[in-house]
């Protein structure tokens, strides 16, 4: 984050350059330069029209995280002494994130009030999910209220510091695919374009989870295969092969699906291969979350 106090000319572009000096694994010293160009505008509505929602959420998360190092001592004292004074810094940060969200949306409402009746909710076209992402941020382990193990909260803090905009957006609102209701043509290449037909995700809410369902969940960090306790034995056999008739028959240490000739097995493997290709440097490893069996089920509930 930086500020510029000079006057910008809206007729000219603004140029940004960032240089990073680093050492490679072979001991070479290198400089990596990143350049970008942005238009200058005095019209707030024009800025809102081209705003990047993922980038805004990422900046707000990093700003909130930057206030946490001084709060970490209070968090540790919270676990050691359980005093109410230790909860205040985190509460202040949560309130600040909420107020910033309100200020952004209220600012847009003020400049666009001429074309909308009073009292109508007006959201920028590119920030329609902005409030949802900020609510997810408040519920993340870095900022959530209540008791949270200090090592997990610290891990979440460090992740916020290094996460890219796309990584953070997926982490805050994971994609959930219902495997028990996949269309027959999904997860296979489109005959006309050759691109993989990716099935639609459902909303990340327990209200959308069906009894007897099977769901593939990816938040960019872990990939969970959640199986309801009453999942169909036929679905288990299609995914894991003959002999897998119930949840107890599955290997809890399974990290990849077996290669089978069933239609559903090929669909899920194709989908996971696609997700792995768009994840960047992070490998995609499957983790079972059987209802009533695996501890990963609690991770699914946290998502």
């Amino acid at each position: 984050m930086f500020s510029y106090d000079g006057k910008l000319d809206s007729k000219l572009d603004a140029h940004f350059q960032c240089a990073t000096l680093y050492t490679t694994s072979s001991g070479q010293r290198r400089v990596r330069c990143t350049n970008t160009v942005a238009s200058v505008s005095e019209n707030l509505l024009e800025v809102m029209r081209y705003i990047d929602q993922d980038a805004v959420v990422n900046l707000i998360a990093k700003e909130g995280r930057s206030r946490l190092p001084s709060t970490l001592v209070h968090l540790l004292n919270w676990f050691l002494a359980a005093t109410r004074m230790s909860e205040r810094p985190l509460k202040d940060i949560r309130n600040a994130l909420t107020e910033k969200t309100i200020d952004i949306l209220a600012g847009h409402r003020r400049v666009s009030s001429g074309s909308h009746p009073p009292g109508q909710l007006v959201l920028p076209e590119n920030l329609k999910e902005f409030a949802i992402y900020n609510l997810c941020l408040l519920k993340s382990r870095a900022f959530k209220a209540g008791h949270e193990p200090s090592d997990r909260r610290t891990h979440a803090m460090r992740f916020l510091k290094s996460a890219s905009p796309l990584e953070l957006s997926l982490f805050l609102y994971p994609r959930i695919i219902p495997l028990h209701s996949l269309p027959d043509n999904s997860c296979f290449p489109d005959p006309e374009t050759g691109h993989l037909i990716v099935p639609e995700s459902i909303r990340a809410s327990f209200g959308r989870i069906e009894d007897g369902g099977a769901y593939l969940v990816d938040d960019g960090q872990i990939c969970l295969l959640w199986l309801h306790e009453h999942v169909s034995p036929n679905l288990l056999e299609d995914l894991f092969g003959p002999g897998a008739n119930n949840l107890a028959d599955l290997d809890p240490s399974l990290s990849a699906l077996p290669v089978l000739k069933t239609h559903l097995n090929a669909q899920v493997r194709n989908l996971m291969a696609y997700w792995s290709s768009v994840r960047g440097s992070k490998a995609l490893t499957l983790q079972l979350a059987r209802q009533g069996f695996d501890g990963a089920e609690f991770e699914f509930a946290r998502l």
Side-chain angles (χ1 to χ4, degrees):
M1 299 290 292
F2 65 93
S3 61
Y4 178 73
D5 298 329
K7 184 174 179 57
L8 296 176
D9 189 349
S10 59
K11 298 179 181 180
L12 302 176
D13 294 331
H15 298 255
F16 301 86
Q17 183 178 75
C18 175
T20 303
L21 177 64
Y22 67 101
T23 304
T24 65
S25 58
S26 61
Q28 294 180 332
R29 296 287 285 173
R30 295 182 180 180
V31 177
R32 173 171 294 179
C33 292
T34 303
N35 301 283
T36 187
V37 179
S39 300
V40 178
S41 176
E42 298 177 354
N43 188 344
L44 182 57
L45 287 178
E46 184 177 350
V47 175
M48 286 290 189
R49 191 175 298 117
Y50 298 100
I51 198 168
D52 188 331
Q53 178 175 256
D54 293 337
V56 173
V57 174
N58 191 267
L59 285 173
I60 290 178
K62 284 178 167 50
E63 181 181 351
R65 185 256 173 238
S66 66
R67 305 181 186 183
L68 285 172
S70 59
T71 310
L72 186 56
V73 176
H74 296 280
L75 292 174
L76 294 177
N77 290 335
W78 178 28
F79 289 103
L80 294 177
T83 61
R84 295 186 62 183
M85 290 294 293
S86 58
E87 298 179 18
R88 292 180 182 176
L90 184 58
K91 181 179 179 180
D92 293 343
I93 295 174
R94 289 168 53 86
N95 291 337
L97 293 175
T98 302
E99 291 174 0
K100 184 172 290 292
T101 304
I102 296 174
D103 290 342
I104 292 175
L105 298 180
H108 176 266
R109 181 67 178 86
R110 284 193 297 269
V111 298
S112 61
S113 58
S115 57
H116 298 88
Q120 180 180 351
L121 179 63
V122 180
L123 296 176
E125 185 64 27
N126 292 341
L127 290 179
K128 287 187 174 181
E129 297 86 17
F130 179 58
I132 297 177
Y133 277 116
N134 276 274
L135 179 60
C136 295
L137 183 64
L138 293 177
K139 292 184 176 181
S140 67
R141 281 175 170 162
F143 299 109
K144 68 180 295 187
H147 294 277
E148 184 70 25
S150 57
D151 55 343
R152 292 186 177 182
R153 194 184 293 272
T154 303
H155 172 75
M157 294 177 191
R158 296 183 66 85
F159 172 77
L160 292 181
K161 183 179 181 180
S162 60
S164 67
L166 291 179
E167 280 182 324
L168 182 60
S169 297
L170 184 57
F171 178 75
L172 295 177
Y173 200 90
R175 46 195 172 195
I176 303 178
I177 306 295
L179 303 182
H180 55 279
S181 59
L182 280 179
D184 292 338
N185 64 334
S186 65
C187 303
F188 289 105
D190 188 295
E192 298 181 357
T193 64
H195 297 161
L196 189 74
I197 302 176
V198 180
E200 292 186 1
S201 302
I202 64 172
R203 292 184 181 179
S205 170
F206 261 119
R208 301 284 177 168
I209 303 300
E210 301 178 7
D211 292 344
Y215 297 87
L216 194 64
V217 185
D218 178 35
D219 70 348
Q221 308 302 308
I222 59 176
C223 183
L224 297 176
L225 176 55
W226 186 84
L227 302 169
H228 191 269
E229 59 181 349
H230 299 308
V231 66
S232 170
N234 294 332
L235 185 145
L236 293 179
E237 287 193 354
D238 288 342
L239 280 177
F240 302 100
N245 296 321
N246 55 71
L247 297 181
D249 296 331
L250 304 181
D251 183 5
S253 61
L254 186 73
S255 60
L257 285 179
V259 180
L260 304 176
K261 296 182 179 180
T262 62
H263 188 80
L264 180 60
N265 182 276
Q267 284 181 299
V268 178
R269 286 189 291 105
N270 289 344
L271 180 60
M272 293 183 63
Y274 169 74
W275 282 354
S276 180
S277 66
V278 298
R279 265 188 167 207
S281 60
K282 290 184 172 61
L284 188 146
T285 303
L286 188 67
Q287 185 174 1
L288 287 183
R290 300 169 295 173
Q291 188 178 30
F293 284 87
D294 301 313
E297 181 188 355
F298 297 99
E299 195 69 25
F300 175 79
R302 185 193 65 82
L303 298 175

